[in-house]
Amino acid sequence: MTPRSYELLIDGRWTKARSGETIERVSPAHGVTVSTYSKASEHEADLAISAARAAFDRGSWPRMSGSERSKVLLNVASLIERDAELLAMLDTLESGKPIAQARGEIAGAADIWRYAAALTRDLHGESFSTIGPHKLGVVVRDPIGVVSIITPWNFPFLIVSQKLPFALAAGCTAVVKPSELTSASTLYLGKLLLEAGLPAGVVNILSGKGLDVGAVMTSDPRVDMISFTGSTRVGKSAMATAAQTLKKVSMELGGKNPQIIFADADLEAALDAAVFGAYFNAGECCNAGSRLIIQRSIAESFVADLQRKVRDVKVGDPLDEDVRVGAIVTPEHLAKIEGYVADAQEAGAEVKVGGTRLDYESGQFMAPTIVDGVKPQMTIAREEVFGPVLSVLTFETAEEAVVIANGTDYGLSAGVWSRDFNTCLNVSRGIHAGTVWMNTFMDGASELPFGGYKQSGLGRELGRRAVDDYTEEKTLHMHHGPRTAWWVTNPAGQA
Ligand code: NDP
């Protein structure tokens, strides 16, 4: 396989890093180099921010009508669809995710670009005609300015598509840094943006390390907003840096999401969703349903069925159309996942299935794993494992289930399964999470806001108000007619 090479997109031109350094990405499933990117440093971050700043302050993009901007976003959506197979392949080769799944993510991303294009024409403020005679208040929404967009490795193309089209719809300009592990599809997007007619400098894309490029993107005073998706640890540090210049921040961070199964649920459907929730994207998923909380009366038989079901999940080469669980992103990450399982065993939990790496010739794979007998205070029940590892806990009453579900620092998403809709609604309303699925899991739609409570994040992406997040409100307070409240003297001598 010949590796593809990528340069940096700065001010509409493809540019090599001044240092001449590159980053090589080895496919986690195949053990061969699949991409080489030019490695940006502080110097290129500075150039990219200058270009985005100039495009915002003096360029055409923020000044275009919504209709003109929406045409460009629609072009991007069509180009994504045209090159969907290539984009899916890039994400699969770099992240290790199954190709069939990657295709779904690219299609979902194109849908988001179209949705953002529609919102472009509906960006509006408010007016107030009730603030007094001869007075009118109009609140307009201005684009916030230059946005630094920083994304993780697990859903490379989908996550940049949850941010960039909305920032562009608002009229912002951007500097984008994908993860150094999975930059290819985002760099390829740069080519599509230019082809779609986006003016030079509006979007600049840098492959590079968080510690140097990301640090400039979060500290530079010329940047107005940070839109970050990644771990809670790095998100907190990016926020602390951004606070020095009081930038607006939007944070999509980790999750330790519960799926609560009541005895009266459709157990066949719940079983399938439990397996999907835990092992989709090899569990390297912020939304992973990594804590299964089962009503005690059915726990034993449910876990027995689960073991059978998990053994049927096909693990292996992500280029195989039938594979459901691909490779783990890096050897270091695989070791970390195994460490969590070993730690849980030491704490008294029992591995029912899996628990070990799979000895394939190339790349790194982990067997889908069920850890039973987990207690809420164990590390495995509280921290994000970010691998194909399902922890099983039990509950007696709905109240107890809610307490367990809420018992972590995270609050991204949750699932509730019961045939009694009152149970579903009562439990859902008690859960502290940004999304609660009832009798389904990890469903998504561009129309629905997504984001976390507690340490899972700040702000919401997607949904009708996603564009608003990239704007500042400006109040225009007008008086039409004679001055009514003289402060010093009234020249006409009137009261
Ligand atoms: P990281 O937090 O390690 O990295 C995320 C991004 O931040 C990468 O591009 C990274 O660069 C960059 N970065 C690292 N250090 C800094 C810094 N000091 N300043 C600015 N940027 C920096 O996350 P992962 O890539 O490991 O992704 C996994 C995490 O993402 C999980 O915790 C997961 O839950 C979360 N996530 C959340 C989602 C959500 O919507 N809530 C969705 C998907 C994932 P680099 O690594 O290239 O050096």
Side-chain angles (χ1 to χ4, degrees):
M1 192 177 295
T2 317
R4 286 176 161 262
S5 308
Y6 301 85
E7 294 181 344
L8 316 167
L9 180 62
I10 302 176
D11 206 10
R13 285 185 292 276
W14 294 101
T15 312
K16 280 193 171 62
R18 186 173 67 176
S19 67
E21 285 184 57
T22 54
I23 298 173
E24 287 206 350
R25 179 60 181 148
V26 171
S27 161
H30 308 100
V32 294
T33 301
V34 286
S35 321
T36 307
Y37 333 115
S38 191
K39 181 176 174 229
S41 65
E42 288 88 345
H43 173 67
E44 286 75 28
D46 178 64
L47 293 178
I49 293 170
S50 297
R53 191 71 251 171
F56 187 77
D57 292 340
R58 298 185 288 283
S60 57
W61 185 255
R63 290 154 194 90
M64 278 182 193
S65 67
S67 154
E68 288 172 298
R69 280 205 290 265
S70 80
K71 277 186 200 143
V72 176
L73 299 190
L74 289 171
N75 286 346
V76 178
S78 300
L79 293 171
I80 291 171
E81 280 162 351
R82 182 195 71 190
D83 292 349
E85 192 56 31
L86 172 63
L87 286 163
M89 186 60 83
L90 298 180
D91 274 2
T92 287
L93 290 176
E94 292 197 336
S95 71
K97 68 174 73 235
I99 185 72
Q101 180 195 316
R103 286 188 190 119
E105 289 170 23
I106 304 299
D111 182 68
I112 300 174
W113 281 85
R114 281 194 206 290
Y115 180 64
L119 293 180
T120 309
R121 304 187 68 170
D122 194 39
L123 177 61
H124 61 271
E126 295 173 299
S127 64
F128 294 84
S129 54
T130 52
I131 54 176
H134 307 297
K135 286 182 189 299
L136 180 66
V138 175
V139 182
V140 296
R141 287 194 172 272
D142 282 342
I144 194 164
V146 175
V147 184
S148 282
I149 293 180
I150 300 176
T151 57
W153 47 260
N154 56 345
F155 293 95
F157 198 78
L158 191 60
I159 289 178
V160 73
S161 298
Q162 286 181 197
K163 300 172 181 296
L164 186 57
F166 300 100
L168 292 175
C172 293
T173 62
V175 178
V176 180
K177 193 201 91 59
S179 161
E180 58 168 305
L181 301 173
T182 56
S183 300
S185 60
T186 303
L187 288 162
Y188 191 84
L189 173 65
K191 177 176 137 35
L192 302 184
L193 294 174
L194 296 181
E195 192 179 340
L198 194 75
V202 173
V203 173
N204 306 273
I205 306 176
L206 302 173
S207 39
K209 298 241 178 194
L211 279 179
D212 36 39
V213 175
V216 177
M217 288 170 65
T218 49
S219 62
D220 193 296
R222 294 168 297 171
V223 171
D224 301 289
M225 177 176 171
I226 312 293
S227 178
F228 175 92
T229 297
S231 62
T232 297
R233 181 184 62 78
V234 176
K236 284 179 185 173
S237 122
M239 247 180 104
T241 308
Q244 300 308 309
T245 44
L246 221 64
K247 300 184 197 314
K248 183 172 183 180
V249 291
S250 160
M251 294 275 151
E252 295 294 339
L253 307 175
K256 189 72 199 173
N257 314 297
Q259 278 227 66
I260 302 172
I261 320 274
F262 282 87
D264 68 348
D266 174 345
L267 295 180
E268 271 306 317
L271 200 58
D272 192 68
V275 175
F276 165 64
Y279 307 119
F280 171 74
N281 212 50
E284 296 168 326
C285 182
C286 55
N287 267 329
S290 53
R291 287 186 297 152
L292 196 62
I293 309 179
I294 315 174
Q295 198 152 32
R296 217 155 280 143
S297 59
I298 56 156
E300 204 180 320
S301 64
F302 196 86
V303 172
D305 290 343
L306 201 57
Q307 290 176 60
R308 277 192 289 278
K309 194 109 180 159
V310 169
R311 289 200 176 93
D312 287 345
V313 173
K314 189 165 178 192
V315 186
D317 185 345
L319 293 174
D320 178 336
E321 302 277 342
D322 298 327
V323 155
R324 285 281 187 262
V325 176
I328 300 298
V329 73
T330 58
E332 298 75 29
H333 190 57
L334 176 59
K336 193 170 152 196
I337 297 168
E338 287 179 313
Y340 272 111
V341 176
D343 179 79
Q345 283 173 301
E346 256 176 54
E350 183 192 353
V351 171
K352 290 278 191 188
V353 173
T356 51
R357 63 181 65 202
L358 293 170
D359 204 10
Y360 292 161
E361 259 175 41
S362 55
Q364 55 278 338
F365 295 82
M366 172 90 191
T369 298
I370 300 173
V371 183
D372 198 8
V374 172
K375 300 284 175 264
Q377 66 279 8
M378 290 180 185
T379 306
I380 202 163
R382 312 183 73 81
E383 293 186 9
E384 200 181 28
V385 175
F386 228 57
V389 179
L390 179 62
S391 296
V392 179
L393 299 94
T394 56
F395 72 94
E396 201 68 54
T397 64
E399 292 71 24
E400 193 191 350
V402 171
V403 170
I404 297 172
N406 288 337
T408 74
D409 293 334
Y410 294 109
L412 190 59
S413 59
V416 184
W417 290 84
S418 166
R419 281 200 171 94
D420 182 339
F421 212 66
N422 290 326
T423 304
C424 282
L425 268 182
N426 286 333
V427 170
S428 300
R429 295 188 66 180
I431 288 178
H432 304 150
T435 299
V436 184
W437 288 285
M438 285 170 263
N439 297 322
T440 181
F441 198 73
M442 236 191 292
D443 262 348
S446 305
E447 291 82 351
L448 299 181
F450 174 69
Y453 279 32
K454 302 195 283 184
Q455 295 190 32
S456 286
L458 279 180
R460 295 289 178 270
E461 294 188 330
L462 302 174
R464 255 185 331 119
R465 287 189 296 277
V467 183
D468 294 358
D469 217 32
Y470 294 94
T471 63
E472 283 279 18
E473 280 185 324
K474 181 184 284 163
T475 300
L476 303 175
H477 195 147
M478 293 170 259
H479 183 89
H480 48 92
R483 184 159 175 79
T484 47
W486 295 94
W487 196 59
V488 186
T489 50
N490 177 347
Q494 293 155 358

